[in-house]
């Protein structure tokens, strides 16, 4: 019997090659996969973390960045509790696409979803996007922000742990509505956490500048 | 024969003897023996003559086996070499080993001489099998060692000559076999292709042989695909399978390759040994990638797939906002295309599964070390899962999903536009239609064998159910159930019923009926739709789960987990629908029940319960309250009975019973009772509770128990009786409530 307090769905999106799969592998398996091929469709991984002594199960959906699989990947937005939007700090084009991604999120995701902007590959020498540019973008669009390196395992753990913490807090504060039967999740109805469809006004939790992260703790 | 000659010997011995008697006897005995032997010899002779053909056949079979035996012999020699080499190592220090080693080298030397001569003869006779067997033996020898073995320089010279000759022969044979093989391929001489293919491993040219052979197989595949493509391109649109012609064509490709592997694998295994299949399959797969790519390309062109997908993708992106594009396909026209796309991927999955199984079995047979085997398997799987075919198919599934999502949404829109409610029906056509469409879409995805496709369609279905169905019902229910505006309540319900009936008959809103009637009908239909949808979701979930289990086999744990999660989300939509239903019932309670029950119970309040014997008797004959209440409740329930689904009706009953009980409790608390009034109350409560228990479910009876207990309290003679009574009763009233009730007398 697996026991856990909450189960959250976390979906990673962003251009092809920004390092989504590497981030997930680093977090779930503790490795940086060499010769990682492009993701086809959607990959799926689970990791249980402990927050304040309680087990939190993260169901991580790693989507393909390629446009061709968009109908498959978009279908996961709506049930996501957290969306991680990733760009590559050494690639301006991946940053320039962010508004397109945001439009997709607006269209398909729940308004209550926790949105996190991630600038990946901080280990690279050829940075094109200074930290403050990402930070400002996140601030403007009411998102959390963090810079990571899947290669050097920088901030990766922190990224997911903070998400788990934040989501746990949001559930406790009733953010996901009374109808989300999060509290009494039994193993057989694992995905009982139902999010309401977009009805209420836009997300209220002003946030951002928290866990901005050039310094790793 | 021997025995006969022996007997002659005996006979000469005997003639020199003395006694004639004995002689005669001996002669007789010898004669008998001879006779017996003659019979035996005759029998044997007869048998041999009789079986001559059989024996000859056997002999010729043996002759034919000779090349094979030579191979076996060569293999055995090789094995012997290995064994003795090991032996040699083990005994390196011992002097004995020298003897053994020398013996072996002598054997090698003898063989070497034999080989050297044998190759020349065999080559001259075009007996390539024998020649190759000699070379094979030669290749297993250690040249330097043998050279050192010979001490005399003249002997060494001849050894060197043999080696040179054999090396020369090896080169010749190599070139010869290669040329002969190529010639056989060119002239399509299958027998010769097979013949020379078998010789490569004898020259230790395994990979070369396999590569040449597989290249030849690839050419065959190219040819047949080209032929199939031409057939497909020239096929008229009216022909029977023209709607799935590209799926058929790619199926032929897969089947051809699978058959090739099926037929060739035994030959490869026999002459090359196990463990070589991965190389062959990888080469075949590259050809498969190319040919499948051509077929997919043709399909895209002929079905205008990219254009269709692009227009649909754009329409999904703008999502309702602007004018629909003119070039947008009709969802019904997509049926065949969707069918063909799913078929293509299903065939590819089947083929890939076959390949995986075969290669895994070959690894199993050839690699003993588990770790090494798993490593090889994962290398192979890595290549296969990155193959062009897999990528092409993933793109097809991606395109399929976009079109299927569009199909689902558009079909739903149509169903919504044509939503009607038939006479006597409680739900509208939308519910059945919507679930029919969802089932069709997801099942088609299942038929594609693509896990990502199925998951995506399950997700899209969840979105549809929650936003369009549950969301839509919720919107209608939010407009409320107008029940005000009637003075005479009985009349109100008669009007409601008849107007509903007439709207139902008209199939749309009757112009003579009021807006309220339309709202009421819409409200009840939405309520019933929500409840029916929940049941549909449950049965859909079960059906799809079964479909998936039976149609999608050999899934990876990840794939299984993905499917499970998405199926669970589908089941989870009942939660959303249930909430909508609960909201609807609460609306009914607020607008259709509460205001009705109030005046009925008011009759109780204005009827005095501080009464005389006469009044009490009069009440008995002429019930002032309970009878009317029951008639009213019955009327109300009766008016809803034909309008609500069974589950919704049950919910309504329980809400109504709870409401009556709650309001009656309040009314009792506001009244005062004398002894007879208490009795009268008891009479009334018994009647009402009896009736309500009869129409309701167990779950609401607790509230009724409270009423009964209140009446009981008001009928007790003195306080002592309360405690007496308490020993046999579990009170549903709190002590303070009991105190308050007792004060009413
Ligand atoms: N230097 C550096 N390279 C990285 C890092 N993360 C990923 N990469 C490299 O970026 C490339 C793409 O990584 P993936 O994780 O496959 O990218 P993805 O976002 O999953 O791509 P798609 O699956 O196609 O959407 C790989 O070559 C990785 O080695 C990082 O933190 N630092
Ligand atoms: Mg990836």
């Amino acid at each position: 019997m697996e026991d856990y307090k909450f189960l959250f769905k976390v979906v990673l999106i962003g251009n092809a090659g920004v390092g989504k799969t590497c981030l997930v592998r680093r977090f779930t398996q503790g490795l940086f996969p060499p010769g990682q091929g492009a993701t086809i469709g959607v990959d799926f991984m689970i990791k249980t973390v402990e927050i304040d002594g309680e087990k939190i199960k993260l169901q991580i959906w790693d989507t393909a960045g390629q446009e061709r699989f968009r109908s498959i990947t978009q279908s996961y937005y709506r049930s996501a509790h957290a969306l991680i939007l990733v760009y590559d700090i050494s690639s301006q084009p991946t940053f320039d696409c962010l508004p397109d991604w945001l439009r997709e999120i607006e269209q398909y995701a729940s308004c209550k979803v926790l949105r996190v902007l991630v600038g990946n590959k901080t280990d690279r020498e050829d940075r094109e996007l200074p930290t403050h540019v990402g930070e400002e973008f996140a601030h403007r669009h009411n998102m959390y922000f963090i810079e990571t390196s899947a290669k050097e395992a920088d901030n990766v753990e922190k990224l997911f742990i903070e998400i788990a913490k934040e989501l746990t807090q949001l559930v406790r504060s009733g953010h996901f509505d009374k109808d989300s039967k999060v509290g009494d999740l039994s193993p057989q109805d694992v995905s009982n956490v139902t999010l309401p469809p977009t009805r209420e006004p836009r997300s209220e939790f002003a946030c951002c500048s928290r866990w901005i992260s050039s310094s790793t703790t | 024969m021997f025995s006969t000659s022996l007997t002659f010997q005996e006979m000469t011995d005997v003639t020199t003897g003395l006694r004639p008697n004995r002689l005669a006897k001996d002669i007789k005995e010898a004669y008998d023996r001879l006779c017996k032997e003659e019979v035996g010899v005759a029998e044997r002779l007869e048998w041999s003559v009789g079986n001559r053909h059989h024996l000859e056949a056997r002999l010729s079979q043996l002759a034919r086996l000779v090349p094979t035996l030579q191979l076996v012999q060569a293999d055995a020699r090789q094995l012997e070499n290995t064994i003795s080499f090991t032996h040699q190592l083990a005994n390196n220090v011992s002097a004995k080993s020298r003897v053994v080693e020398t013996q072996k080298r002598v054997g090698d030397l003898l063989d070497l001489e034999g080989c050297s001569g044998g190759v020349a003869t065999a080559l001259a006779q075009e007996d390539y099998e024998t020649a190759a067997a000699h070379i094979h033996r030669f290749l297993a020898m250690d040249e330097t060692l043998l050279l050192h073995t010979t001490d005399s320089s003249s002997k060494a010279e001849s050894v060197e000559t043999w080696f040179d000759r054999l090396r020369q022969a090896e080169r010749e044979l190599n070139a010869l076999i290669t040329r002969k093989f190529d010639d056989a391929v060119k002239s399509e001489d299958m027998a010769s292709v097979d013949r020379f293919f078998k010789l490569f491993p004898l020259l230790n040219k395994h990979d070369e042989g396999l590569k040449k052979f597989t290249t030849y197989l690839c050419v065959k595949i190219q040819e047949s695909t080209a032929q199939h493509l031409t057939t497909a391109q020239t096929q008229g649109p009216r022909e029977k399978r023209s709607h799935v012609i590209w799926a058929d064509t790619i199926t032929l490709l897969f089947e051809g390759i699978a058959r090739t592997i099926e037929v060739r694998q035994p030959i490869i295994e026999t002459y090359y040994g196990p463990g070589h299949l991965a190389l062959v399959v990888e080469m075949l797969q590259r050809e498969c990638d190319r040919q499948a790519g051509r077929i997919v390309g043709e399909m895209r062109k002929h079905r205008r797939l990219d254009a269709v997908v692009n227009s649909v993708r754009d329409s999904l992106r703008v999502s309702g906002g602007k004018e629909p594009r003119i070039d947008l396909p009709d969802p019904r026209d997509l049926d065949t295309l969707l069918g063909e796309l799913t078929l293509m991927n299903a065939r590819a999955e089947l083929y890939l599964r076959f390949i995986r199984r075969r290669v895994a079995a070959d690894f199993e047979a050839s690699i003993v070390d588990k770790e090494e085997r798993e490593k090889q398997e994962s290398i192979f799987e890595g290549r296969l899962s990155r193959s062009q075919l897999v990528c092409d198919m993933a793109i097809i599934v991606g395109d399929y999903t976009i079109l299927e999502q569009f199909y689902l949404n558009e079909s739903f829109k149509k169903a919504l536009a044509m939503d009607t409610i038939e006479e006597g029906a409680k739900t509208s056509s939308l519910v059945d239609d919507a679930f029919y469409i969802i089932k069709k879409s997801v099942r088609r995805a299942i038929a594609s064998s693509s896990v990502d496709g199925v998951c995506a369609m399950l997700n899209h279905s969840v979105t549809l159910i929650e936003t369009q169905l549950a969301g839509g019902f919720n919107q209608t229910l939010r407009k409320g159930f107008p029940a005000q505006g009637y003075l005479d309540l009985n009349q109100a319900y008669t009007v409601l019923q008849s107007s509903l009936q007439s709207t139902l008959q008209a199939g749309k809103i009757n112009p003579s009926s009021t807006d309220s009637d339309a709202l009421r009908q819409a409200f009840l239909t939405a309520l019933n739709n929500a409840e029916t949808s929940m049941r549909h979701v449950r049965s859909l979930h079960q059906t799809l789960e079964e479909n998936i289990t039976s149609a999608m086999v050999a899934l990876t744990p990840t794939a299984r987990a993905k499917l499970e999660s998405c199926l669970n989300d589908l089941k989870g939509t009942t939660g959303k629908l249930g909430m909508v239903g609960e909201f609807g019932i609460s609306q009914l309670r607020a607008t259709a029940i509460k205001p009705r029950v109030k005046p009925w119970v008011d009759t109780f309040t204005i009827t005095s319960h501080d009464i005389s014997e006469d009044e009490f008797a009069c009440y008995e004959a002429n019930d002032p309250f309970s009878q009317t209440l029951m008639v009213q409740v019955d009327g109300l329930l009766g008016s809803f009975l034909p309008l609500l689904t069974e589950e919704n009706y049950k919910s309504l009953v329980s809400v109504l019973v709870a409401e009556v009980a709650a309001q009656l409790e309040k009314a009792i608390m506001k009244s005062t009772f004398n002894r007879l009034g208490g009795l009268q109350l008891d009479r009334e409560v018994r009647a009402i509770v009896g009736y309500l228990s009869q129409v309701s479910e167990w779950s609401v009876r607790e509230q009724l128990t409270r009423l009964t207990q209140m009446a009981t309290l008001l009928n007790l003679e003195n306080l002592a009786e309360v405690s007496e009574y308490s020993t046999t009763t579990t009170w549903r009233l709190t002590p303070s409530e009991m105190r308050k009730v007792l004060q009413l007398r």
Side-chain angles (χ1 to χ4, degrees):
Chain A
M1 278 283 262
E2 16 168 21
D3 64 314
Y4 50 85
K5 184 76 179 174
F6 302 123
L7 179 138
F8 296 121
K9 286 191 184 178
V10 179
V11 177
L12 283 98
I13 59 175
N15 277 23
V18 294
K20 299 180 292 296
T21 304
C22 290
L23 283 168
V24 176
R25 288 285 158 89
R26 170 60 76 194
F27 175 61
T28 57
Q29 301 169 346
L31 50 87
F32 183 71
Q36 180 62 43
T39 305
I40 290 174
V42 178
D43 213 349
F44 172 91
M45 246 156 268
I46 282 185
K47 178 153 173 163
T48 307
V49 296
E50 217 169 282
I51 305 291
D52 301 331
E54 293 208 285
K55 289 219 169 79
I56 309 294
K57 192 165 172 175
L58 295 178
Q59 208 184 56
I60 304 168
W61 298 83
D62 169 26
T63 67
Q66 280 179 49
E67 169 93 27
R68 305 220 81 127
F69 306 120
R70 221 36 73 80
S71 171
I72 293 174
T73 55
Q74 279 163 355
S75 77
Y76 290 90
Y77 291 18
R78 214 177 134 273
S79 62
H81 294 106
L83 276 170
I84 303 180
L85 175 51
V86 188
Y87 68 94
D88 174 353
I89 57 122
S90 67
S91 160
Q92 183 74 41
T94 67
F95 185 83
D96 294 341
C97 282
L98 293 181
D100 296 339
W101 287 105
L102 282 183
R103 256 193 301 285
E104 287 215 343
I105 295 174
E106 299 288 319
Q107 194 181 339
Y108 298 104
S110 152
C111 65
K112 301 204 162 189
V113 70
L114 181 73
R115 299 179 303 166
V116 183
L117 183 66
V118 171
N120 187 36
K121 307 198 187 179
T122 50
D123 57 283
R124 288 186 64 133
E125 306 283 316
D126 52 347
R127 181 190 275 269
E128 288 185 2
L129 294 137
T131 306
H132 72 90
V133 173
E135 214 172 283
E136 276 155 24
F137 185 92
H139 192 78
R140 208 163 44 246
H141 295 96
N142 206 18
M143 300 168 89
Y144 283 83
F145 180 71
I146 194 166
E147 282 191 342
T148 58
S149 164
K151 191 173 175 191
E152 301 298 326
D154 238 11
N155 272 338
V156 178
E157 188 81 9
K158 182 171 180 183
L159 163 68
F160 287 98
I161 295 293
E162 289 295 331
I163 287 175
K165 270 191 199 158
E166 198 61 36
L167 286 174
T168 309
Q169 215 175 334
L170 285 172
V171 175
R172 293 236 160 88
S173 67
H175 172 72
F176 291 118
D177 225 350
K178 307 112 227 148
D179 61 292
S180 62
K181 301 168 209 110
V182 184
D184 52 7
L185 275 183
S186 53
Q188 54 267 51
D189 40 333
V190 184
S191 51
N192 240 347
V193 194
T194 42
L195 286 169
T198 38
R199 213 189 306 128
E200 270 109 301
R202 284 269 134 222
S203 204
E204 52 289 86
F205 53 103
C207 56
C208 193
S209 339
R210 261 193 290 167
W211 38 290
I212 290 178
S213 57
S214 313
S215 61
T216 323
T217 33
Chain B
M1 303 276 164
F2 289 109
S3 53
T4 315
S5 66
L6 249 171
T7 319
F8 275 115
Q9 182 80 50
E10 269 177 63
M11 276 165 72
T12 43
D13 284 351
V14 162
T15 41
T16 55
L18 296 169
R19 287 195 226 145
N21 262 355
R22 193 157 162 236
L23 182 69
K25 199 176 159 227
D26 282 353
I27 288 171
K28 178 86 175 75
E29 270 173 17
Y31 174 73
D32 285 349
R33 222 164 34 237
L34 273 175
C35 284
K36 237 184 262 164
E37 269 162 26
E38 192 190 331
V39 171
V41 167
E43 268 175 10
R44 276 215 298 276
L45 205 60
E46 212 171 302
W47 183 86
S48 298
V49 171
N51 283 284
R52 205 186 74 224
H53 295 295
H54 186 70
L55 288 171
E56 275 170 3
R58 278 287 175 91
L59 280 172
S60 69
Q61 259 175 359
L62 277 176
R64 250 178 283 147
L65 274 173
V66 168
T68 323
L69 282 174
Q70 275 166 336
L71 295 191
V72 172
Q73 187 200 24
D75 279 349
R77 287 254 172 82
Q78 200 182 354
L79 184 67
E80 182 201 301
N81 279 352
T82 321
I83 291 169
S84 55
F85 179 63
T86 319
H87 188 214
Q88 176 195 345
L89 279 179
N91 292 311
N92 228 359
V93 279
S94 92
K96 236 207 270 174
S97 74
R98 297 213 126 184
V99 181
V100 177
E101 199 182 287
T102 317
Q103 274 174 351
K104 188 196 140 317
R105 283 186 206 163
V106 169
D108 274 358
L109 277 175
L110 289 175
D111 281 349
L112 186 63
E113 191 172 7
C115 285
S116 168
V119 163
T121 328
L123 276 179
Q125 289 170 351
E126 296 193 359
D127 181 356
Y128 305 116
E129 283 75 14
T130 311
H134 284 307
I135 298 291
H136 190 67
R137 169 74 187 104
F138 150 69
L139 288 172
M141 296 176 193
D142 188 326
E143 194 171 333
T144 17
L145 259 180
L146 285 187
L147 276 174
H148 288 163
T149 312
T150 50
D151 33 14
S152 74
S153 60
S154 68
K155 201 71 191 260
E157 220 167 85
S158 65
V159 168
E160 230 167 307
T161 323
W162 292 333
F163 266 115
D164 282 345
R165 235 187 266 159
L166 279 165
R167 267 195 298 271
Q168 174 64 27
E170 186 201 344
R171 273 193 300 275
E172 259 173 50
L173 194 59
N174 222 330
L176 198 91
I177 288 176
T178 308
R179 204 182 61 234
K180 289 273 179 191
F181 182 88
D182 291 346
D183 288 348
V185 167
K186 231 172 273 159
S187 58
E188 306 228 5
D189 177 357
M190 266 315 297
S192 300
V193 167
D194 277 352
R195 180 181 174 199
F196 293 104
F197 170 60
K198 292 170 189 170
L199 298 180
F200 286 98
L202 291 178
L203 306 182
N204 286 355
K205 299 278 179 201
H206 292 77
D207 281 9
E208 202 175 313
L210 288 170
K211 277 180 192 154
K212 283 191 119 6
F213 189 57
T214 315
T215 309
Y216 160 72
L217 296 177
C218 287
V219 172
K220 294 264 128 204
I221 292 165
Q222 278 166 30
E223 286 168 6
S224 62
T225 306
Q227 209 178 327
H228 294 144
L229 269 174
T230 317
T231 318
Q233 280 156 342
T234 52
Q235 201 186 46
R238 249 175 268 284
E239 265 163 81
K240 210 165 129 226
R241 292 194 61 85
S242 66
H243 62 294
V244 284
I245 189 66
W246 304 107
D248 279 356
T249 309
I250 211 164
T251 306
L252 287 174
L253 170 67
F254 295 146
E255 283 174 353
I257 296 175
R259 205 176 311 115
T260 302
I261 293 171
E262 185 92 34
V263 172
R264 305 298 172 180
Q265 194 187 4
I267 306 171
I268 295 171
E269 220 165 78
T270 311
Y271 295 98
Y272 286 68
H276 293 283
L277 195 61
L279 175 79
V280 174
V281 166
E282 268 169 33
M283 282 182 71
L284 286 174
Q285 187 51 44
R286 279 197 288 278
E287 192 58 45
C288 177
D289 287 347
R290 277 189 289 271
Q291 299 309 320
R294 286 173 66 190
I295 298 171
V296 168
E298 286 296 310
M299 183 275 291
R300 290 190 167 276
K301 202 169 73 194
H302 280 82
R303 303 295 191 217
R304 295 183 51 254
L305 186 58
D306 293 303
V308 176
V309 168
N310 282 337
S311 68
V312 164
R313 186 188 286 129
D314 289 350
S315 88
L316 287 171
R317 199 172 286 150
V318 296
S319 188
K322 289 170 220 151
E323 295 255 305
R325 288 176 52 150
I326 349 131
D327 56 348
L328 223 48
D330 185 312
R332 275 171 310 188
D333 297 341
L334 286 179
D335 262 334
T336 36
L337 180 56
L338 288 169
E340 189 173 32
L341 296 179
T342 50
L343 196 57
M344 285 180 107
N345 190 67
R347 297 292 199 239
E349 293 279 343
L350 204 64
Y351 160 77
L352 289 168
R353 212 163 70 217
F354 170 84
I355 298 275
R356 285 191 179 102
R357 226 177 26 231
R358 279 304 166 100
V359 171
D362 189 53
F363 281 141
E364 184 86 25
S366 59
I367 307 173
V368 186
D369 183 39
K370 188 158 175 271
E371 216 166 280
E372 175 64 17
R373 189 167 63 229
E374 274 164 11
K375 196 179 124 205
Q376 291 300 327
E377 266 170 26
S378 91
I379 290 175
F380 176 79
E381 180 55 38
R383 290 211 188 111
L384 189 63
S385 63
R386 299 277 156 212
S387 68
Q388 193 55 46
L389 174 70
V390 171
C391 292
D392 280 349
M393 286 301 146
I395 290 169
I396 284 189
V397 170
D399 288 350
Y400 156 76
T401 316
I402 290 176
L403 298 183
E404 189 73 89
Q405 183 192 358
F406 173 78
Y407 178 91
L408 179 71
N409 291 345
E410 290 303 306
S411 306
F412 179 82
K413 273 187 212 157
K414 270 196 183 159
L416 188 65
M418 299 191 327
D419 190 20
T420 48
I421 176 156
E422 281 184 21
E423 190 187 335
K426 290 164 187 170
T427 54
S428 67
S429 60
L430 180 66
V431 178
D432 283 352
D433 288 353
F435 282 94
Y436 173 81
I437 296 161
I438 292 172
K439 194 181 205 166
K440 183 170 173 181
S441 275
V442 183
R443 277 189 159 172
R444 188 152 49 201
I446 293 172
S448 81
S449 301
S450 159
V451 173
D452 275 338
V454 176
C455 286
M457 286 324 295
L458 283 170
N459 292 343
H460 287 310
S461 303
V462 168
T463 303
L464 188 76
I465 293 170
E466 293 198 347
T467 61
Q468 302 298 308
L469 285 180
F473 302 151
N474 196 43
Q475 251 173 19
T476 311
L477 294 176
R478 272 182 191 279
K479 292 188 187 134
F481 183 80
Q484 262 77 27
Y486 297 100
L487 291 173
D488 180 334
L489 299 168
N490 276 327
Q491 185 215 331
Y493 280 98
T494 329
V495 169
L496 166 64
Q497 241 184 306
S498 64
S499 73
L500 278 183
Q501 225 74 133
S502 64
T503 40
L504 296 184
Q505 270 155 19
K508 55 186 168 205
I509 296 154
N510 190 327
S512 71
S513 70
T514 61
D515 284 351
S516 299
D517 290 332
L519 272 180
R520 271 190 287 269
Q521 191 207 345
F523 183 95
L524 294 176
T525 307
L527 188 62
N528 290 333
N529 281 351
E531 195 271 318
T532 311
S533 295
M534 281 170 75
R535 272 182 285 134
H536 275 309
V537 167
R538 279 186 218 111
S539 90
L540 179 70
H541 175 266
Q542 199 190 338
T543 314
L544 293 179
E545 198 171 39
E546 283 165 12
N547 289 166
I548 288 172
T549 319
S550 62
M552 304 180 85
V553 290
L555 293 174
T556 63
T558 308
R560 208 181 299 276
K562 274 158 78 169
L563 284 167
E564 226 164 71
S565 170
C566 294
L567 269 173
N568 241 321
D569 285 0
L570 175 67
K571 199 157 71 181
T573 59
T574 51
K576 190 96 212 146
L577 288 162
M579 274 166 42
V580 170
E582 273 168 36
F583 171 74
I585 295 286
S586 74
Q587 285 284 94
L588 269 187
R589 179 175 188 162
T591 60
I593 294 178
K594 221 173 176 158
R596 296 263 129 64
V597 173
K598 197 171 173 304
W600 304 339
V601 176
D602 281 349
T603 323
F604 176 87
T605 323
I606 56 173
T607 314
S608 172
H609 282 79
D610 191 356
I611 47 173
S612 64
E613 289 273 358
D614 281 354
E615 280 168 311
F616 183 72
C618 177
Y619 282 169
E620 179 153 30
N622 239 327
D623 183 279
F625 164 68
S626 55
Q627 281 307 315
T628 328
L629 178 77
M630 289 187 284
V631 169
Q632 301 280 24
V633 169
D634 215 41
L636 181 62
L637 287 178
S639 68
F640 277 107
L641 181 63
L643 304 176
L644 291 175
T645 61
E646 202 180 318
E647 282 302 314
N648 277 338
Y649 180 72
K650 278 186 199 160
S651 308
L652 181 83
V653 170
S654 70
V655 163
L656 179 60
V657 169
E659 191 60 36
V660 169
Q663 289 202 27
L664 195 54
E665 264 186 37
K666 263 193 225 145
I668 292 172
M669 296 305 257
K670 278 191 222 148
S671 308
T672 48
F673 300 86
N674 62 4
R675 163 96 187 84
L676 286 174
L679 268 179
Q680 170 62 19
L681 175 72
D682 193 52
R683 204 149 70 188
E684 285 163 338
V685 165
R686 268 173 209 278
I688 292 166
V689 166
Y691 166 74
L692 292 181
S693 316
Q694 201 188 313
V695 297
S696 69
E697 304 251 298
W698 268 108
S699 55
V700 287
R701 293 197 188 151
E702 179 144 327
Q703 278 208 278
L704 298 175
T705 314
R706 285 169 57 89
L707 273 180
T708 312
Q709 290 180 349
M710 285 168 114
T712 310
L713 281 178
L714 288 169
N715 272 295
L716 297 177
E717 289 300 324
N718 50 47
L719 283 179
E721 272 184 10
V722 176
S723 50
E724 198 178 296
Y725 194 72
S726 298
T727 55
T728 55
T729 320
T730 326
W731 290 102
R732 303 274 176 224
L733 302 167
T734 64
S736 84
E737 279 171 339
M738 287 167 69
R739 219 167 295 128
K740 274 191 201 141
V741 171
L742 288 168
Q743 277 162 8
L744 298 174
R745 257 185 77 182

